[in-house]
Amino acid sequence: MKKRKIFRKLSLIFLGLLVVVPILFLFGCKDNLSSKSRELSNYNLTLEFDEKSNVLTGEQTVSFKNSYDVPLSTLEFHLYPNAFRQGAKYRPVSTSTYQKAYKNGFSEGKIDVSKVVVDGEDREVNVGGSDKNMLIVGLGKDLYPEDSVTVALSYSVQLPNCEHRFGYGDDTYNFGNFYPILSVYENGAFREDNYGANGDPFYSEMSNYDVTLTYNSDFVLASSGRQTATTLKDHKKTTKISAKVVRDFGFVLSRDFVVLSGKANNVDVYYYYYDEQTPEKSLDTAIRAIKTFSSLFGDYPYETYSVVKADFVHGGMEYPNLVYISDSVQNYDDYQNVIVHETAHQWWYNLVGSDACNDAWQDEGLTEFSTLMFYRYNSGYNVVEADSLSASLSSYLLFSEVYESVYGKIDSSMSRNVNDFAGDMQYTYMTYVKGVLFFDSLEDLIGEKAFLKGLKLYFNQYEYKIATKDDMIGCFESVSKKNLKGFFDSWLNGKVVLQSYS
């Protein structure tokens, strides 16, 4: 891999695209989103959070249209909060982060489903999976392709005192992966992936959400989608939220939030923060990221984007239209880097979905490299692309050397289930660090112009869908006119030999 120049000059055309988006294009994006929403399943959530008990009660209706090519007699929903319960086999908090996440000792989180109704008829509450992680709903008949069914659920969710995607700390109440979400039907079965400590083991189709949330009046709410109305009664707020064509839904509550807002093209960008000296810079970074990635890959089609400082054990976490940025990231350059990284996930995870349980490199590695691309086109940040790549390579080689000296030969494959990595450290190096080196090598091989063209094609072909690794290979082969399967296989299967720069 060659060292490339620190930054590359932008053409006047590209600069213009960052500032001006044609009106017809904006309307086209909105129409496209509206058209796509009519094809999807619809979630209607009525939620109320009681801070005294830290319990969220929910009434949820899902209108599901069978878009698969086989009849279905059951539906399955992931019950992610049960991974936080006492006695769970698969824990979302690793040993290395346990003390940081559970500052006050272990605190249980869980979800209890009390009622299941299918098209107006009561059904048994059947919780299964390998770790009480799936709700299995019998439909009572075969649901044929293109037919629809309505499933109504009643449940309560216990929020743990845990600084994680799902949990609360000193400043924020985080509601990520908190409700029953439909499992993807694939290869003749519903996916029942376990929620472990490595990566983001979530995999879902696009859906529409209409949410009504009631909470204490002194809280400030950040959420996926657009908050369309808020009313006040008896010291409680009730907010209605609409989130169309998204892969998931999340929200955060805090009494400490101060909110700044700005515009990125036609997008309302919000920054929710506390205890920060330069919040304007954080908001500006989010705005620049939305503009840059829209120009590089394809337009951000939603009306809102929220960056939220939060009590969170890791650096950041992505949800549609909403990302967490951990308040534990002390170095401000690193903090801004997390904002850029999580913003890139709006393209590589939400708009273009992939199997993050088995091919996490596909969104995380590409997101890491997209973050470097941001600095390529935005001067003024303390990031030198060539230096960053060199540091990543040195770090990867050192990790591999130390690992092999302690444990023997290292499995350097990238394409495997997140639970097959030997801890979160190995997952990070094989997915993020090796991932960014992989995409850098791919760009060197086919050239910057073809690489960017390939990313645009990948986005355009798989926006709102789930893309496989073969889909990605096909896009880059199409634009480069090269056979790239062997190149991908050598990296993903751990055959490539990496060496330090001479």
Side-chain angles (χ1 to χ4, degrees):
M1 292 178 288
K2 66 178 184 294
K3 290 186 179 180
R4 52 171 69 90
K5 295 179 182 179
I6 296 174
F7 295 108
R8 299 168 185 174
K9 294 183 179 179
L10 290 173
S11 67
L12 291 175
I13 293 176
F14 182 78
L15 285 172
L17 285 172
L18 285 178
V19 178
V20 179
V21 179
I23 297 298
L24 289 177
F25 185 59
L26 295 183
F27 281 113
C29 288
K30 290 182 179 179
D31 290 343
N32 186 33
L33 201 66
S34 177
S35 174
K36 182 62 181 178
S37 70
R38 292 192 286 271
E39 305 172 8
L40 304 178
S41 296
N42 295 285
Y43 287 74
N44 191 300
L45 279 62
T46 301
L47 309 168
E48 183 167 358
F49 178 57
D50 176 22
E51 183 200 7
K52 292 181 179 178
S53 61
N54 292 310
V55 169
L56 180 80
T57 55
E59 298 289 334
Q60 174 174 319
T61 300
V62 181
S63 299
F64 171 79
K65 182 179 181 179
N66 184 4
S67 61
Y68 304 110
D69 57 3
V70 296
L72 301 173
S73 60
T74 62
L75 292 178
E76 294 193 22
F77 293 79
H78 295 281
L79 301 177
Y80 291 124
N82 278 349
F84 290 83
R85 78 187 193 284
Q86 184 74 46
K89 297 178 184 177
Y90 298 90
R91 294 291 187 89
V93 181
S94 67
T95 301
S96 63
T97 59
Y98 185 91
Q99 294 296 329
K100 184 178 177 182
Y102 292 106
K103 291 181 177 178
N104 299 312
F106 177 76
S107 173
E108 186 174 41
K110 60 182 179 177
I111 181 169
D112 291 314
V113 179
S114 58
K115 191 171 186 180
V116 177
V117 179
V118 177
D119 282 344
E121 296 185 5
D122 288 351
R123 290 284 186 270
E124 176 187 5
V125 178
N126 182 8
V127 176
S130 61
D131 197 18
K132 296 184 179 179
N133 57 319
M134 305 300 299
L135 176 67
I136 303 167
V137 177
L139 301 181
K141 61 179 181 180
D142 284 340
L143 184 72
Y144 288 92
E146 303 304 314
D147 286 348
S148 298
V149 67
T150 298
V151 177
L153 307 174
S154 301
Y155 52 84
S156 64
V157 178
Q158 180 68 56
L159 194 69
N161 184 194
C162 179
E163 296 189 2
H164 215 275
R165 301 178 183 96
F166 169 72
Y168 69 92
D170 294 333
D171 298 287
T172 64
Y173 294 78
N174 304 334
F175 290 87
N177 313 103
F178 68 92
Y179 61 95
I181 186 171
L182 282 164
S183 171
V184 175
Y185 187 83
E186 193 173 78
N187 299 322
F190 286 100
R191 290 281 295 266
E192 297 186 352
D193 304 282
N194 291 299
Y195 186 172
N198 294 334
D200 306 327
F202 312 118
Y203 184 48
S204 57
E205 305 273 10
M206 287 291 196
S207 298
N208 304 313
Y209 289 82
D210 288 297
V211 179
T212 301
L213 174 63
T214 300
Y215 52 99
N216 284 0
S217 60
D218 54 350
F219 278 124
V220 176
L221 168 67
S223 70
S224 297
R226 176 172 287 283
Q227 299 173 27
T228 59
T230 298
T231 57
L232 179 63
K233 183 180 180 181
D234 297 331
H235 305 292
K236 290 189 175 183
K237 293 177 183 174
T238 298
T239 299
K240 292 187 177 296
I241 308 162
S242 175
K244 303 299 184 186
V245 195
V246 292
R247 210 164 289 281
D248 200 347
F249 178 86
F251 69 93
V252 181
L253 291 169
S254 178
R255 290 186 174 87
D256 301 327
F257 281 149
V258 181
V259 187
L260 290 179
S261 64
K263 281 279 191 180
N265 302 327
N266 63 321
V267 182
D268 291 323
V269 180
Y270 300 97
Y271 180 52
Y272 295 77
Y273 70 96
Y274 46 89
D275 297 333
E276 187 169 335
Q277 294 181 346
T278 57
E280 296 83 3
K281 290 176 64 177
S282 299
L283 175 65
D284 181 66
T285 296
I287 290 172
R288 287 174 180 267
I290 290 288
K291 288 182 177 180
T292 300
F293 296 139
S294 290
S295 296
L296 288 174
F297 312 136
D299 192 65
Y300 180 87
Y302 306 105
E303 297 180 44
T304 65
Y305 177 59
S306 295
V307 175
V308 183
K309 178 173 280 192
D311 296 314
F312 185 50
V313 67
H314 301 296
M317 180 62 199
E318 67 278 4
Y319 293 97
N321 325 132
L322 172 81
V323 298
Y324 301 173
I325 311 297
S326 174
D327 62 7
S328 66
V329 180
Q330 298 298 315
N331 181 285
Y332 189 67
D333 288 341
D334 293 341
Y335 189 87
Q336 289 186 105
N337 190 75
V338 177
I339 293 175
V340 177
H341 175 97
E342 302 306 336
T343 303
H345 269 306
Q346 297 302 305
W347 281 260
W348 317 128
Y349 139 75
N350 180 43
L351 288 168
V352 177
S354 58
D355 186 351
C357 299
N358 292 304
D359 285 301
W361 63 270
Q362 195 171 337
D363 74 300
E364 291 295 357
L366 182 52
T367 294
E368 277 287 271
F369 193 72
S370 299
T371 303
L372 276 186
M373 293 177 74
F374 169 85
Y375 297 117
R376 190 184 299 178
Y377 296 115
N378 290 273
S379 60
Y381 292 87
N382 297 322
V383 176
V384 176
E385 185 178 358
D387 290 350
S388 179
L389 288 166
S390 180
S392 293
L393 179 58
S394 297
S395 178
Y396 176 82
L397 293 173
L398 178 61
F399 169 78
S400 299
E401 180 183 348
V402 172
Y403 188 96
E404 290 185 351
S405 69
V406 175
Y407 300 105
K409 184 173 177 59
I410 188 172
D411 180 355
S412 60
S413 62
M414 300 164 64
S415 188
R416 49 179 152 150
N417 188 274
V418 291
N419 291 319
D420 291 337
F421 289 94
D424 49 4
M425 185 71 76
Q426 189 188 72
Y427 167 82
T428 297
Y429 273 91
M430 297 305 151
T431 301
Y432 290 77
V433 183
K434 191 177 180 183
V436 76
L437 296 171
F438 162 71
F439 282 104
D440 173 65
S441 183
L442 176 61
E443 186 183 48
D444 279 349
L445 177 65
I446 66 176
E448 182 182 4
K449 184 177 179 180
F451 181 80
L452 183 55
K453 189 176 180 181
L455 287 182
K456 289 181 176 179
L457 179 63
Y458 180 61
F459 178 80
N460 288 331
Q461 286 196 354
Y462 298 103
E463 185 179 17
Y464 311 130
K465 302 174 185 177
I466 293 173
T468 66
K469 59 187 173 186
D470 288 334
D471 294 329
M472 175 182 278
I473 293 170
C475 288
F476 285 113
E477 287 185 335
S478 176
V479 300
S480 68
K481 311 304 180 186
K482 294 178 182 289
N483 185 335
L484 298 173
K485 190 176 187 306
F487 173 84
F488 270 76
D489 285 347
S490 67
W491 279 85
L492 302 184
N493 297 330
K495 299 175 182 177
V496 69
V497 176
L498 299 179
Q499 295 178 331
S500 60
Y501 293 124
S502 58

